Amino acid sequence: MIVTVEGIDGAGKNTLVERLTAPLGARRLSFPRYEQSIHAQLAQEALHGRMGDLTDSAYAMATLFALDRHGARDLLEAYVGSPEVLVLDRYVASNAAYTWARTGDQAAADWVAELEFSRLGLPEPDLQILLATDPVEARRRARGREQADATRARDAYERDAGLQERTFAAYQALAQRSWHSPWLVTADANEALATMRTTLFSPSE
């Protein structure tokens, strides 16, 4: 099965992914794949002001992030119907939430779904976990991370407090709609792990 961990920048996704993968013997994959994907690298350069006005287009940025995931489609498809577990740090919902937040248009989330799930053929996840960290706390963590590690300089999205708050609201709305799979909204790693185990193993097993 494919499980995704979603949340705004600084929410603690990496920590939660680490706490989920070990007990289940799961594999992890993080998006964007900055070290492997040319599309992710171009998006990263744009977010740090090195690609002119590319970031002005929410749809152009969303397309780059979508193409990054498309480059991993074979790996993702290997987990469809498999007894193995793949835990993703960000997936399609991240693109949907940020694009919705940037455009102010709910229809943008459905555009992302049509692009990634339909046109690019990416598999839908079995479970999406929204790490519901308050945006103020997430921003504090992101600033602290930047100060502690010179390589973790915040990008244009991370520095925009208003965007982070709108993205969090978009994530919550997607979860309420059960957008393209069941969702769990939590700030508790133990609850997330218990839900994954319940999803993985039916009572009959």
Side-chain angles (χ1 to χ4, degrees), residues 2-203:
I2 297 174
V3 176
T4 74
V5 175
E6 299 286 356
I8 58 175
D9 296 300
K13 296 181 297 299
N14 181 62
T15 300
L16 179 57
V17 168
E18 289 180 352
R19 291 189 64 183
L20 295 177
T21 52
L24 297 170
R27 177 171 180 175
R28 66 171 295 173
L29 176 64
S30 298
F31 290 109
R33 300 174 303 141
Y34 290 128
E35 296 183 358
Q36 301 167 273
S37 165
I38 182 61
H39 299 102
Q41 291 163 8
L42 291 172
Q44 183 180 44
E45 290 180 23
L47 288 170
H48 286 281
R50 297 190 291 271
M51 293 289 288
D53 61 358
L54 178 59
T55 52
D56 292 345
S57 171
Y59 288 91
M61 293 298 292
T63 299
L64 286 176
F65 288 124
L67 290 172
D68 168 36
R69 276 183 285 277
H70 181 255
R73 191 177 75 172
D74 288 347
L75 171 61
L76 294 165
E77 288 182 337
Y79 285 84
V80 176
S82 167
E84 303 299 323
V85 181
L86 176 65
V87 180
L88 303 179
D89 182 343
R90 292 197 186 279
Y91 194 44
V92 180
S94 175
N95 217 5
Y98 274 88
T99 307
W100 180 352
R102 292 197 66 199
T103 62
D105 185 1
Q106 178 179 333
D110 296 322
W111 174 83
V112 167
E114 195 277 334
L115 171 64
E116 300 209 40
F117 293 133
S118 298
R119 299 183 70 179
L120 296 179
L122 297 178
E124 294 191 0
D126 297 281
L127 175 67
Q128 300 182 79
I129 301 171
L130 173 57
L131 189 53
T133 304
D134 181 83
V136 174
E137 172 61 18
R139 186 162 60 251
R140 184 192 66 79
R141 292 178 185 175
R143 284 199 302 264
R145 184 178 63 196
E146 181 180 45
Q147 292 169 357
D149 185 350
T151 68
R152 300 293 297 274
R154 289 180 296 162
D155 61 34
Y157 286 3
E158 292 170 321
R159 292 193 305 270
D160 189 335
L163 174 61
Q164 294 297 315
E165 291 176 359
R166 295 193 303 276
T167 302
F168 183 63
Y171 265 131
Q172 290 178 308
L174 293 174
Q176 290 170 358
R177 290 169 51 188
S178 297
W179 189 82
H180 287 275
S181 82
W183 284 69
L184 169 67
V185 180
T186 185
D188 187 316
N190 291 327
E191 181 183 8
L193 182 57
T195 299
M196 284 181 64
R197 283 174 166 154
T198 300
T199 303
L200 275 167
F201 305 113
S202 67

